[in-house]
């Protein structure tokens, strides 16, 4: 009778005077696996594991044969056709050119190390969209873990995206055959089969790979219970209903991994293409860094020696043909996406298709509700359903985004399955809603205006500046795109109304200077086609303001041109007579701003003075204090520090006495308070500067103004550094830099000064 494998291995190891660690080092088999073998937890290791142990022990032929016989005797009873069984249930062929997934493979290997005969079997769910390489990742993990599970590796394709997935009862039968149960002993009842499988796996170290699971109901009975094995499940769904499993989400590859995979698949002829070459970067981007797409692209290169990477990039650049070009033989990206699409309900299909109309990289629930004519709860359910199937990705807390190739597929389905009329109606409904919502959100910043009405049947709460700002920032791409579409269609009233609503939001968000130049350029053109000439003058003034603001952010390189544009508006307003005095005041103040940036201080002082006179005559307080602040700022530029400080204080006193709560006046007060702090800092009156800047910072934060918040952090950082409070200085400068950079486009001069100041503090202290 053959001796049990465990005691025999222990005796041979001890005879060779080796510790378990020594044997592990010599054989490459893990310490844990050897320990399990010797304790009898694993009684029949695989042949290659036995060979590695025999080599490390230095066994002679007779001892090798004895150890091999013991391993065979310890393996589970097989069917009458072992070769057929191994073929049916073994792992698929691995990829010799497998690339990436280092973190995911490490996580799977770490999970495998938690396996213990006394506890529940660890289960990992590897999930993600079609084409991300879930099966390849699971197979590579199984290859790496072969020695950790010496009783074998079992693979079953559950066909989860087929029209008819593999029945659970049949999957159980295949698994029971794979682990060695006599076919005649397999129960007819599905629940009994599940019990048989758990019992069989509890005594052995098997790795079970359940590929392409349809849902929780299909896979739950297939999972082992307690024991020293492991299970890896792959699915396009997250399988959120499974308890106590580790979920590993696959994402697209990095640029470097994408280039490596392209080179590996396309062959030696492409080996000299650098990962960061323009051609490789472009192909990887057009493939969305999706492993399936990259493999297809690489295969097309390999099969066409005359093609270059640039040639491939040119073919993939055609959006209408990209999916068709990402197919080879019976494998294609479009076909992979179609399997997920076909699994959707009709409502979810319509939602998926219409999301292709969203003119941004990400989207929120309300816009999906508008496109599908559903309420928020139903829209969110459909979006989550798409996420569950890997057709959409979560982006942050409550936003979603397409993979680039899936967006193309959604657009293709939209064109093929919906009429031109239905598509146009959905797009118009979305555009109108975006413009209406953006207009209402902008009006929230008019402190003297009435409370804004509810928008979109309550889809978006806009009752406070904070809520309005959050929506405008999150949906910046979409409402800007809606504005462009409306402007192209000459829906002039909608376009002009949005521009008029954005005045004070724009004033608080000057970091969007390029965007405001486009916005007010479009609204100016729209207003020119409307019959109200004063309204046109208003939009001309806003466009001049945007031009000056954008030029200021670029260092004033076109300040003279900006001034001329503003003066053209001034002359137009002047020719309109006494009815356009307010517009004259705004225009000449825009010109003064440009002249001040251009360092033409005399003209700036004259223009601000004239603007203040006109504003006073028209009774428009907002422009009066705009001009007053401009005069003070010009005094700062002229190094008349004390005069400037007093001028800002006079503005603050005047506003406080006036009691005007309009947005224009409140904006003037914020400017004066912040600029006073800056002037005091410039005059090296640092402690006074801190006292002035603190309330200005608090007000900026409360208003949600990133522009002024950054400025006040800069002033506070400089002032604190001025009297040696370097810790506070570093804190404020760091916050100012962070706030400025996260806002995107900002004044590069101020940003550069903050960075220089922070660097000087770090060097000297």
């Amino acid at each position: 009778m053959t001796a049990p494998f465990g005691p025999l291995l222990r005796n041979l190891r001890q005879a060779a005077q080796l510790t378990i660690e020594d044997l592990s080092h010599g054989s490459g088999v893990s310490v844990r696996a050897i320990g399990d073998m010797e304790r009898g937890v694993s009684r029949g290791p695989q042949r290659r594991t036995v060979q590695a142990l025999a080599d490390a022990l230095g066994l002679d032929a007779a001892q090798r044969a004895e150890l091999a016989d013991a391993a065979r005797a310890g393996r589970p009873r097989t069917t009458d056709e072992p070769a057929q069984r191994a073929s049916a249930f073994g792992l698929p062929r691995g990829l010799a050119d497998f690339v990436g997934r280092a973190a995911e493979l490490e996580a799977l290997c770490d999970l495998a190390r938690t396996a213990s005969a006394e506890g529940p079997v660890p289960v990992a769910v590897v999930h993600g969209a079609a084409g991300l390489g879930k099966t390849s990742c699971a197979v590579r993990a199984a290859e790496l873990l072969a020695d950790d599970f010496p009783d074998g590796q079992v693979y079953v394709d559950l066909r989860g995206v087929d029209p008819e997935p593999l029945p659970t009862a049949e999957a159980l039968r295949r698994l029971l055959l794979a682990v060695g149960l006599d076919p005649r002993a397999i129960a007819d009842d599905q629940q009994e089969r599940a019990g048989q499988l758990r019992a069989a796996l509890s005594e052995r170290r098997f790795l079970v790979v359940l590929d392409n699971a349809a849902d929780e109901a299909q896979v739950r009975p297939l999972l082992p219970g307690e024991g020293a094995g492991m299970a890896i499940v792959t699915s396009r769904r997250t399988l959120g209903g499974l308890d106590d499993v580790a979920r590993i989400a696959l994402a697209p590859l990095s640029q470097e991994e994408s280039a490596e995979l392209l080179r590996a698949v396309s062959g030696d002829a492409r080996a000299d293409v650098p990962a960061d070459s323009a051609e490789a970067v472009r192909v990887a981007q057009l493939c969305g860094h999706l492993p399936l797409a990259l493999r297809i692209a690489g295969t097309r290169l390999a099969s066409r020696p005359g093609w270059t990477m640039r040639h491939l990039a040119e073919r993939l650049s055609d959006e209408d043909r990209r999916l068709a070009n990402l197919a080879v033989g019976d494998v294609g990206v479009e076909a992979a996406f179609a399997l997920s699409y076909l699994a959707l309900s009709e409502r979810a299909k319509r939602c998926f298709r219409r999301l292709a109309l969203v003119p941004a990289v990400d989207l929120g629930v309300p816009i999906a509700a508008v496109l599908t004519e559903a309420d928020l709860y139903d829209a969110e359910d459909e979006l989550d359903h798409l996420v569950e199937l890997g057709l959409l990705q979560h982006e942050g807390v409550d936003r979603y985004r397409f993979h680039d190739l899936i967006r193309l597929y959604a657009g293709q389905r939209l064109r093929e399955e919906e009429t031109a009329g239905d598509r146009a109606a959905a797009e118009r409904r979305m555009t109108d809603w975006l413009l209406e919502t953006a207009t209402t959100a902008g009006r929230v910043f008019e402190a003297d205006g009435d409370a804004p009405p509810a928008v979109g049947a309550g889809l978006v709460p806009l009752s406070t500046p904070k809520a309005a700002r959050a929506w405008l920032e999150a949906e910046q791409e979409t409402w800007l795109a809606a504005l462009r579409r409306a402007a192209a269609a000459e829906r002039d009233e909608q376009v002009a109304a949005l521009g008029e609503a954005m005045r004070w939001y724009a004033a608080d968000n000057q970091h969007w200077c390029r965007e405001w130049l486009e916005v007010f350029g479009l609204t100016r053109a729209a207003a020119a086609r409307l019959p109200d000439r004063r309204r046109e003058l208003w939009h001309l003034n806003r466009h001049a303001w945007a031009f000056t603001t954008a030029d200021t952010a670029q260092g004033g390189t076109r300040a003279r041109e900006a001034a001329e544009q503003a003066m053209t508006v001034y002359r137009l307003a002047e020719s309109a007579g006494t009815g356009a005095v307010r517009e004259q005041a705004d225009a000449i103040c825009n010109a003064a701003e440009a002249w001040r940036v251009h360092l033409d201080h005399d003209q700036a002082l004259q223009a601000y003075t004239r603007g203040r006179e006109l504003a006073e005559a028209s009774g428009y307080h907002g422009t009066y204090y705009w001009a007053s602040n401009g005069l003070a700022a010009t005094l700062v530029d002229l190094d008349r520090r004390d005069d400037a400080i007093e001028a800002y204080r006079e503005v603050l006193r005047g506003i406080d006495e006036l009691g005007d709560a309009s947005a224009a006046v409140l904006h003037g007060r914020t400017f004066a308070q912040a600029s006073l702090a800056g002037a005091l800092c410039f005059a090296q009156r640092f402690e006074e500067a801190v006292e002035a800047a603190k309330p200005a910072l608090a007000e900026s934060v409360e208003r949600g103004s990133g522009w002024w918040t950054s400025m006040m952090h800069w002033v506070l950082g400089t002032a604190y550094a001025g009297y040696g409070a370097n810790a506070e200085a570093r804190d404020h400068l760091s916050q100012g830099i962070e706030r400025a950079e996260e806002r995107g486009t900002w004044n590069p001069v101020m940003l550069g000064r903050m960075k220089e100041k922070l660097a000087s503090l770090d060097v000297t202290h």
Side-chain angles (χ1 to χ4, degrees):
M1 181 176 178
T2 304
F5 184 83
L8 177 60
L9 176 62
R10 183 186 301 110
N11 291 338
L12 290 170
R13 176 179 61 78
Q14 291 174 346
Q17 297 184 341
L18 296 176
T19 65
I20 291 180
E21 289 75 12
D22 293 335
L23 182 55
S24 173
H25 181 74
S27 65
V29 180
S30 71
V31 170
R32 186 190 63 191
I34 295 172
D36 286 347
M37 293 174 201
E38 292 191 358
R39 293 194 307 274
V41 175
S42 175
R43 295 175 292 180
Q46 295 178 336
R47 184 173 59 182
R48 62 179 176 178
T49 301
V50 176
Q51 290 174 343
L53 292 170
D55 290 342
L57 290 167
L59 302 184
D60 58 28
Q63 290 172 317
R64 286 174 178 269
E66 183 182 12
L67 191 64
D69 289 343
R72 279 194 295 272
R75 291 175 192 144
R77 184 178 177 182
T78 63
T79 65
D80 295 334
E81 299 178 86
Q84 180 180 347
R85 181 174 64 85
S87 174
F89 307 116
L91 291 171
R93 179 169 174 259
L95 297 172
D97 53 11
F98 185 89
V99 170
R101 305 304 184 205
E104 292 86 351
L105 292 171
E106 183 178 359
L108 288 167
C109 291
D110 288 344
L111 185 65
R113 297 186 188 100
T114 68
S116 168
E118 291 75 31
V121 169
V123 177
V125 175
V126 178
H127 62 91
L132 283 171
K134 298 179 291 295
T135 299
S136 299
C137 182
V139 170
R140 174 51 61 97
E143 292 171 348
L144 295 174
L145 293 169
D147 290 337
D148 292 83
F149 299 97
D151 288 329
Q153 297 171 320
V154 183
Y155 172 90
V156 175
D157 182 357
L158 300 177
R159 304 201 304 261
V161 293
D162 286 9
E164 295 184 9
L166 184 70
T168 300
E170 173 60 18
L172 284 166
R173 187 188 72 83
R174 296 185 184 189
L175 287 169
L176 288 168
L177 288 174
V179 299
L181 193 66
D182 190 317
R184 294 167 295 184
I186 297 176
D188 293 329
D189 180 76
Q190 178 176 302
Q191 188 173 353
E192 291 183 22
R193 287 185 182 182
Q196 288 179 311
L197 180 64
R198 288 193 295 272
L201 293 176
S202 67
E203 300 177 355
R204 305 166 202 168
R205 291 188 65 85
F206 270 102
L207 173 62
V208 179
V209 178
L210 303 172
D211 193 24
N212 195 12
D215 52 34
E216 295 89 339
Q218 181 196 36
V219 79
R220 191 177 284 113
L222 311 179
L223 298 178
E226 294 189 351
M230 180 179 176
I232 300 176
V233 183
T234 75
S235 179
R236 297 188 182 188
R237 300 177 182 270
T238 58
L239 303 182
L242 295 181
D243 296 326
D244 194 25
V245 301
R247 288 184 174 79
I248 298 175
L250 296 191
L253 299 177
S254 68
Q255 175 59 48
E256 293 74 16
E257 292 168 339
S258 296
E260 183 182 350
L261 183 55
L262 275 172
R263 287 197 301 269
V265 176
S266 58
D268 294 339
R270 321 293 169 179
D272 60 345
V273 179
D276 59 351
S277 70
E279 294 86 356
V281 168
R282 184 62 178 151
V283 170
Q285 289 173 339
L286 293 170
C287 289
H289 302 285
L290 196 72
L292 175 61
L294 291 162
R295 286 191 173 280
I296 292 171
T299 300
R300 298 201 73 180
L301 274 177
S303 62
R304 294 165 175 79
W307 280 21
T308 64
M309 197 75 78
R310 176 176 295 179
H311 182 84
L312 179 60
E314 289 173 354
R315 292 182 71 91
L316 293 178
S317 294
D318 183 354
E319 286 194 355
D320 293 335
R321 294 287 302 160
R322 190 177 306 162
L323 293 177
N325 281 316
L326 288 174
V328 60
D330 62 348
V331 179
V333 170
E334 182 180 343
F337 295 158
L339 292 173
S340 292
Y341 180 71
L342 292 173
L344 296 173
S345 67
E346 289 305 314
R347 286 179 59 185
K349 285 179 180 177
R350 185 175 70 156
C351 179
F352 174 74
R353 294 191 301 264
R354 291 189 176 180
L355 293 182
L357 293 169
V358 178
V361 296
D362 63 344
L363 60 107
V365 177
I367 201 169
V370 172
L371 283 168
T372 58
E373 300 177 272
D375 62 33
L376 283 174
Y377 297 108
D378 288 342
E380 188 171 20
D381 286 345
E382 297 303 339
L383 293 174
D384 286 340
H385 191 189
L386 296 177
V387 171
E388 178 69 10
L389 270 172
L391 291 171
L392 204 61
Q393 306 165 35
H394 270 300
E395 183 80 359
V397 177
D398 56 359
R399 298 191 66 78
Y400 303 80
R401 71 180 298 150
F402 272 127
H403 183 277
D404 290 346
L405 294 179
I406 296 179
R407 176 186 290 278
L408 291 180
Y409 178 71
Q412 182 176 299
R413 297 269 53 79
L414 179 70
R415 292 188 296 274
E416 293 182 6
E417 298 183 30
E418 299 203 26
T419 67
D422 287 343
R423 297 197 303 269
E427 183 176 65
R428 176 61 186 264
R429 188 168 57 251
M430 175 185 67
T431 300
D432 287 348
W433 178 81
L434 284 166
L435 291 174
E436 178 189 358
T437 308
T439 300
T440 303
R443 288 177 180 153
V444 173
F445 297 89
E446 297 176 1
D448 53 342
D450 296 329
V455 174
L459 293 180
V460 180
L462 298 174
S463 58
T464 66
K466 182 178 181 180
R469 187 183 302 280
W471 187 86
L472 286 167
E473 290 183 353
E475 296 292 353
Q476 178 193 359
E477 282 189 74
T478 54
W479 64 257
L480 272 174
L483 181 67
R484 295 183 192 110
R485 288 175 177 175
E490 295 191 359
R491 300 206 291 272
D492 297 327
E493 182 58 43
Q494 278 184 311
V495 173
L498 183 140
E500 290 153 12
M502 287 293 164
R503 175 171 186 176
W504 299 113
Y505 179 68
D508 273 350
N509 291 271
Q510 296 178 40
H511 59 284
W512 283 1
C513 49
R514 292 192 182 94
E515 287 81 358
W516 296 131
L517 190 58
E518 179 186 9
V519 166
F520 291 117
L522 293 173
T523 67
R524 166 188 175 174
R529 292 188 290 267
L530 295 173
D532 189 336
R533 294 281 67 83
R534 284 195 63 186
R535 197 175 183 187
E536 180 186 3
L537 287 171
W538 188 95
H539 285 276
L540 286 168
N541 265 324
R542 296 319 296 162
H543 189 241
W545 169 85
F547 190 95
T548 302
T549 302
D551 180 64
T552 301
Q554 297 169 7
T557 57
R558 299 174 66 187
R560 186 175 294 279
E561 184 180 347
E564 285 302 318
Q565 180 175 336
M567 286 305 295
T568 299
V569 180
Y570 172 73
R571 286 187 286 270
L572 286 171
E574 190 176 35
S575 66
T578 57
V581 175
R582 174 175 168 180
E583 286 73 19
Q584 292 179 53
D586 284 346
I588 203 163
C589 283
N590 276 324
E593 292 280 305
W595 278 319
R596 186 171 67 83
V597 172
H598 191 60
L599 303 182
D600 193 337
H601 297 120
D602 288 340
Q603 277 198 289
L605 286 171
Q606 292 176 28
Y608 280 129
T609 301
R610 179 58 177 157
R612 190 160 69 168
E613 291 171 354
L614 290 167
E616 188 172 26
S618 68
Y620 188 51
H621 302 132
T623 303
Y624 178 87
Y625 286 110
W626 175 15
S628 298
N629 278 320
L631 284 168
T634 309
L635 294 174
V636 173
D637 294 340
L638 291 168
D639 205 17
R640 292 168 56 183
R641 305 175 188 180
D642 292 340
D643 292 340
I645 290 167
E646 181 53 35
Y648 282 126
R649 285 178 169 158
E650 183 180 343
V651 170
L652 292 171
R653 286 193 297 269
I655 290 176
D656 290 342
E657 292 171 3
L658 183 65
D660 186 338
S662 67
V665 173
L666 291 179
H667 180 78
R669 192 186 193 290
T670 299
F671 185 98
Q673 184 71 44
S675 299
L676 171 62
L680 288 165
C681 189
F682 184 59
Q684 299 188 4
R685 293 159 63 173
F686 298 122
E687 293 187 7
E688 291 179 76
V690 168
E691 292 306 309
K694 283 181 178 178
L697 175 61
E699 183 177 344
S700 300
V701 171
E702 183 178 355
R703 288 164 62 101
S705 173
W707 173 271
W708 289 113
T709 299
S710 300
M711 287 290 289
M712 287 304 93
H713 279 304
W714 177 66
V715 170
L716 282 165
T718 304
Y720 276 121
Y723 60 83
N726 289 335
E728 291 85 350
R730 287 192 188 92
D731 180 54
H732 281 288
L733 290 169
S734 297
Q735 289 188 64
I737 293 168
E738 180 181 356
R739 187 67 171 161
E741 290 182 333
E742 76 181 15
R743 309 296 291 187
T745 305
W746 202 70
N747 187 319
V749 175
M750 295 297 112
L751 182 57
R753 288 177 182 174
M754 281 195 285
K755 289 183 175 181
E756 288 174 8
K757 190 67 178 178
L758 181 61
S760 70
L761 291 175
D762 290 338
V763 169
T764 57
H765 295 82

